[in-house]
mmCIF file of all heavy atoms in Angstrom:
data_model
loop_
_atom_site.group_PDB
_atom_site.id
_atom_site.type_symbol
_atom_site.label_atom_id
_atom_site.label_comp_id
_atom_site.label_asym_id
_atom_site.label_seq_id
_atom_site.Cartn_x
_atom_site.Cartn_y
_atom_site.Cartn_z
ATOM 1 N N ILE A 1 0.864 -1.158 -0.009
ATOM 2 C CA ILE A 1 -0.002 0.010 0.005
ATOM 3 C C ILE A 1 0.894 1.265 -0.050
ATOM 4 O O ILE A 1 1.922 1.265 0.689
ATOM 5 C CB ILE A 1 -0.977 -0.041 1.184
ATOM 6 C CG1 ILE A 1 -1.984 1.075 1.088
ATOM 7 C CG2 ILE A 1 -0.245 0.029 2.552
ATOM 8 C CD1 ILE A 1 -3.226 0.891 2.086
ATOM 9 N N SER A 2 0.465 2.212 -0.752
ATOM 10 C CA SER A 2 1.219 3.456 -0.864
ATOM 11 C C SER A 2 1.110 4.302 0.435
ATOM 12 O O SER A 2 0.474 4.082 1.309
ATOM 13 C CB SER A 2 0.799 4.277 -2.076
ATOM 14 O OG SER A 2 -0.564 4.647 -1.801
ATOM 15 N N LYS A 3 2.037 5.398 0.450
ATOM 16 C CA LYS A 3 2.167 6.168 1.696
ATOM 17 C C LYS A 3 0.754 6.755 2.159
ATOM 18 O O LYS A 3 0.453 6.765 3.347
ATOM 19 C CB LYS A 3 3.105 7.268 1.396
ATOM 20 C CG LYS A 3 4.418 6.799 1.094
ATOM 21 C CD LYS A 3 5.444 7.962 0.682
ATOM 22 C CE LYS A 3 6.836 7.474 0.329
ATOM 23 N NZ LYS A 3 7.663 8.541 -0.179
ATOM 24 N N SER A 4 0.043 7.226 1.179
ATOM 25 C CA SER A 4 -1.322 7.699 1.473
ATOM 26 C C SER A 4 -2.422 6.727 1.544
ATOM 27 O O SER A 4 -3.611 7.039 1.869
ATOM 28 C CB SER A 4 -1.667 8.855 0.540
ATOM 29 O OG SER A 4 -1.857 8.350 -0.799
ATOM 30 N N GLY A 5 -2.154 5.492 1.076
ATOM 31 C CA GLY A 5 -3.243 4.560 1.027
ATOM 32 C C GLY A 5 -3.915 4.505 -0.324
ATOM 33 O O GLY A 5 -4.902 3.683 -0.492
ATOM 34 N N GLY A 6 -3.639 5.260 -1.237
ATOM 35 C CA GLY A 6 -4.394 5.401 -2.496
ATOM 36 C C GLY A 6 -4.076 4.362 -3.561
ATOM 37 O O GLY A 6 -4.856 4.179 -4.451
ATOM 38 N N VAL A 7 -2.986 3.610 -3.362
ATOM 39 C CA VAL A 7 -2.518 2.659 -4.370
ATOM 40 C C VAL A 7 -2.310 1.329 -3.576
ATOM 41 O O VAL A 7 -1.637 1.354 -2.560
ATOM 42 C CB VAL A 7 -1.313 3.062 -5.177
ATOM 43 C CG1 VAL A 7 -0.847 1.913 -5.987
ATOM 44 C CG2 VAL A 7 -1.645 4.336 -6.001
ATOM 45 N N THR A 8 -2.810 0.196 -4.138
ATOM 46 C CA THR A 8 -2.563 -1.034 -3.462
ATOM 47 C C THR A 8 -2.263 -2.071 -4.551
ATOM 48 O O THR A 8 -2.780 -1.973 -5.662
ATOM 49 C CB THR A 8 -3.765 -1.579 -2.672
ATOM 50 O OG1 THR A 8 -4.927 -1.687 -3.513
ATOM 51 C CG2 THR A 8 -4.161 -0.632 -1.468
ATOM 52 N N TYR A 9 -1.262 -2.924 -4.162
ATOM 53 C CA TYR A 9 -0.989 -4.100 -5.065
ATOM 54 C C TYR A 9 -1.114 -5.361 -4.245
ATOM 55 O O TYR A 9 -1.003 -5.436 -3.051
ATOM 56 C CB TYR A 9 0.491 -3.945 -5.368
ATOM 57 C CG TYR A 9 0.872 -2.727 -6.271
ATOM 58 C CD1 TYR A 9 2.244 -2.263 -5.997
ATOM 59 C CD2 TYR A 9 0.205 -2.184 -7.043
ATOM 60 C CE1 TYR A 9 2.665 -1.106 -6.711
ATOM 61 C CE2 TYR A 9 0.535 -1.115 -7.771
ATOM 62 C CZ TYR A 9 1.793 -0.513 -7.574
ATOM 63 O OH TYR A 9 2.197 0.605 -8.317
ATOM 64 N N PHE A 10 -1.569 -6.430 -4.974
ATOM 65 C CA PHE A 10 -1.696 -7.723 -4.449
ATOM 66 C C PHE A 10 -1.059 -8.852 -5.280
ATOM 67 O O PHE A 10 -1.000 -8.768 -6.534
ATOM 68 C CB PHE A 10 -3.123 -8.096 -4.344
ATOM 69 C CG PHE A 10 -3.939 -7.173 -3.330
ATOM 70 C CD1 PHE A 10 -4.599 -6.073 -3.812
ATOM 71 C CD2 PHE A 10 -4.037 -7.415 -1.976
ATOM 72 C CE1 PHE A 10 -5.305 -5.130 -3.006
ATOM 73 C CE2 PHE A 10 -4.657 -6.584 -1.124
ATOM 74 C CZ PHE A 10 -5.303 -5.419 -1.610
ATOM 75 N N GLU A 11 -0.584 -9.834 -4.621
ATOM 76 C CA GLU A 11 -0.157 -11.061 -5.275
ATOM 77 C C GLU A 11 -1.410 -11.721 -5.918
ATOM 78 O O GLU A 11 -2.395 -11.686 -5.302
ATOM 79 C CB GLU A 11 0.535 -11.999 -4.395
ATOM 80 C CG GLU A 11 1.373 -13.110 -4.999
ATOM 81 C CD GLU A 11 0.454 -14.332 -5.344
ATOM 82 O OE1 GLU A 11 -0.491 -14.617 -4.590
ATOM 83 O OE2 GLU A 11 0.635 -14.917 -6.428
ATOM 84 N N ASN A 12 -1.369 -12.266 -7.046
ATOM 85 C CA ASN A 12 -2.475 -12.699 -7.798
ATOM 86 C C ASN A 12 -3.316 -13.735 -7.013
ATOM 87 O O ASN A 12 -4.533 -13.708 -7.211
ATOM 88 C CB ASN A 12 -2.092 -13.267 -9.247
ATOM 89 C CG ASN A 12 -1.760 -12.183 -10.124
ATOM 90 O OD1 ASN A 12 -2.214 -11.022 -10.035
ATOM 91 N ND2 ASN A 12 -0.902 -12.580 -11.172
ATOM 92 N N SER A 13 -2.660 -14.551 -6.363
ATOM 93 C CA SER A 13 -3.472 -15.661 -5.605
ATOM 94 C C SER A 13 -4.294 -15.153 -4.372
ATOM 95 O O SER A 13 -5.101 -15.903 -3.933
ATOM 96 C CB SER A 13 -2.520 -16.725 -5.164
ATOM 97 O OG SER A 13 -1.669 -16.307 -4.067
ATOM 98 N N VAL A 14 -4.001 -13.961 -3.936
ATOM 99 C CA VAL A 14 -4.716 -13.420 -2.852
ATOM 100 C C VAL A 14 -5.661 -12.206 -3.157
ATOM 101 O O VAL A 14 -6.321 -11.754 -2.359
ATOM 102 C CB VAL A 14 -3.763 -13.025 -1.673
ATOM 103 C CG1 VAL A 14 -2.862 -14.270 -1.373
ATOM 104 C CG2 VAL A 14 -2.987 -11.798 -2.019
ATOM 105 N N LYS A 15 -5.559 -11.622 -4.342
ATOM 106 C CA LYS A 15 -6.114 -10.315 -4.635
ATOM 107 C C LYS A 15 -7.658 -10.308 -4.490
ATOM 108 O O LYS A 15 -8.206 -9.257 -4.184
ATOM 109 C CB LYS A 15 -5.645 -9.842 -6.014
ATOM 110 C CG LYS A 15 -6.207 -10.498 -7.196
ATOM 111 C CD LYS A 15 -5.591 -9.948 -8.478
ATOM 112 C CE LYS A 15 -6.291 -10.518 -9.720
ATOM 113 N NZ LYS A 15 -7.690 -10.181 -9.859
ATOM 114 N N ASP A 16 -8.276 -11.414 -4.723
ATOM 115 C CA ASP A 16 -9.718 -11.513 -4.493
ATOM 116 C C ASP A 16 -10.099 -11.855 -3.160
ATOM 117 O O ASP A 16 -11.388 -11.898 -2.837
ATOM 118 C CB ASP A 16 -10.349 -12.488 -5.514
ATOM 119 C CG ASP A 16 -10.090 -12.044 -6.941
ATOM 120 O OD1 ASP A 16 -10.128 -10.908 -7.218
ATOM 121 O OD2 ASP A 16 -9.937 -12.895 -7.810
ATOM 122 N N ARG A 17 -9.160 -12.088 -2.241
ATOM 123 C CA ARG A 17 -9.478 -12.595 -0.942
ATOM 124 C C ARG A 17 -8.930 -11.584 0.211
ATOM 125 O O ARG A 17 -9.470 -11.549 1.314
ATOM 126 C CB ARG A 17 -9.001 -13.955 -0.663
ATOM 127 C CG ARG A 17 -9.498 -14.968 -1.662
ATOM 128 C CD ARG A 17 -9.015 -16.401 -1.400
ATOM 129 N NE ARG A 17 -7.499 -16.432 -1.569
ATOM 130 C CZ ARG A 17 -6.618 -16.850 -0.726
ATOM 131 N NH1 ARG A 17 -6.990 -17.141 0.515
ATOM 132 N NH2 ARG A 17 -5.387 -16.967 -1.049
ATOM 133 N N PHE A 18 -7.803 -10.992 -0.035
ATOM 134 C CA PHE A 18 -7.137 -10.154 0.895
ATOM 135 C C PHE A 18 -7.267 -8.617 0.710
ATOM 136 O O PHE A 18 -7.468 -8.291 -0.470
ATOM 137 C CB PHE A 18 -5.674 -10.379 0.988
ATOM 138 C CG PHE A 18 -5.297 -11.833 1.467
ATOM 139 C CD1 PHE A 18 -6.221 -12.754 1.726
ATOM 140 C CD2 PHE A 18 -3.988 -12.027 1.762
ATOM 141 C CE1 PHE A 18 -5.853 -14.010 2.214
ATOM 142 C CE2 PHE A 18 -3.609 -13.316 2.187
ATOM 143 C CZ PHE A 18 -4.461 -14.222 2.419
ATOM 144 N N THR A 19 -7.320 -7.805 1.737
ATOM 145 C CA THR A 19 -7.361 -6.428 1.512
ATOM 146 C C THR A 19 -6.291 -5.802 2.462
ATOM 147 O O THR A 19 -6.215 -6.150 3.593
ATOM 148 C CB THR A 19 -8.705 -5.804 1.906
ATOM 149 O OG1 THR A 19 -9.729 -6.480 1.079
ATOM 150 C CG2 THR A 19 -8.781 -4.388 1.745
ATOM 151 N N ILE A 20 -5.518 -4.842 1.917
ATOM 152 C CA ILE A 20 -4.535 -4.068 2.660
ATOM 153 C C ILE A 20 -5.087 -2.680 2.871
ATOM 154 O O ILE A 20 -5.710 -2.112 2.048
ATOM 155 C CB ILE A 20 -3.234 -4.096 2.006
ATOM 156 C CG1 ILE A 20 -2.078 -3.475 2.936
ATOM 157 C CG2 ILE A 20 -3.226 -3.341 0.668
ATOM 158 C CD1 ILE A 20 -0.776 -3.791 2.493
ATOM 159 N N SER A 21 -4.877 -2.161 4.128
ATOM 160 C CA SER A 21 -5.383 -0.834 4.371
ATOM 161 C C SER A 21 -4.340 -0.233 5.452
ATOM 162 O O SER A 21 -3.515 -0.956 6.072
ATOM 163 C CB SER A 21 -6.749 -0.765 4.924
ATOM 164 O OG SER A 21 -6.925 -1.521 6.112
ATOM 165 N N ARG A 22 -4.475 1.024 5.623
ATOM 166 C CA ARG A 22 -3.547 1.731 6.633
ATOM 167 C C ARG A 22 -4.370 2.849 7.231
ATOM 168 O O ARG A 22 -5.196 3.448 6.730
ATOM 169 C CB ARG A 22 -2.254 2.134 6.105
ATOM 170 C CG ARG A 22 -2.414 3.351 5.080
ATOM 171 C CD ARG A 22 -1.098 3.542 4.281
ATOM 172 N NE ARG A 22 -0.021 4.014 5.297
ATOM 173 C CZ ARG A 22 1.303 3.945 4.894
ATOM 174 N NH1 ARG A 22 1.649 3.442 3.744
ATOM 175 N NH2 ARG A 22 2.152 4.388 5.816
ATOM 176 N N ASP A 23 -4.026 3.117 8.565
ATOM 177 C CA ASP A 23 -4.476 4.248 9.296
ATOM 178 C C ASP A 23 -3.282 5.033 9.671
ATOM 179 O O ASP A 23 -2.628 4.635 10.718
ATOM 180 C CB ASP A 23 -5.348 3.811 10.328
ATOM 181 C CG ASP A 23 -6.140 4.936 11.127
ATOM 182 O OD1 ASP A 23 -5.631 6.113 10.996
ATOM 183 O OD2 ASP A 23 -7.090 4.630 11.825
ATOM 184 N N ASN A 24 -2.950 6.077 9.023
ATOM 185 C CA ASN A 24 -1.734 6.773 9.372
ATOM 186 C C ASN A 24 -1.934 7.534 10.674
ATOM 187 O O ASN A 24 -0.769 7.739 11.350
ATOM 188 C CB ASN A 24 -1.437 7.762 8.198
ATOM 189 C CG ASN A 24 -0.862 7.091 6.957
ATOM 190 O OD1 ASN A 24 -0.479 5.949 7.057
ATOM 191 N ND2 ASN A 24 -0.799 7.879 5.821
ATOM 192 N N ALA A 25 -3.016 7.918 11.023
ATOM 193 C CA ALA A 25 -3.222 8.556 12.379
ATOM 194 C C ALA A 25 -2.867 7.509 13.578
ATOM 195 O O ALA A 25 -2.532 8.016 14.606
ATOM 196 C CB ALA A 25 -4.610 9.082 12.481
#
């Protein structure tokens, strides 16, 4: 996940199952 959270990348085998997120605060 990018610094601001606006861009995310996933490995193909998990992209439909996993979610990455961040709370910078």
Side-chain angles (χ1 to χ4, degrees):
I1 188 166
S2 61
K3 298 172 183 179
S4 65
V7 177
T8 58
Y9 300 147
F10 297 93
E11 195 276 324
N12 285 335
S13 70
V14 309
K15 71 183 184 69
D16 295 325
R17 300 183 293 123
F18 292 9
T19 300
I20 188 170
S21 61
R22 68 191 295 163
D23 186 338
N24 286 348

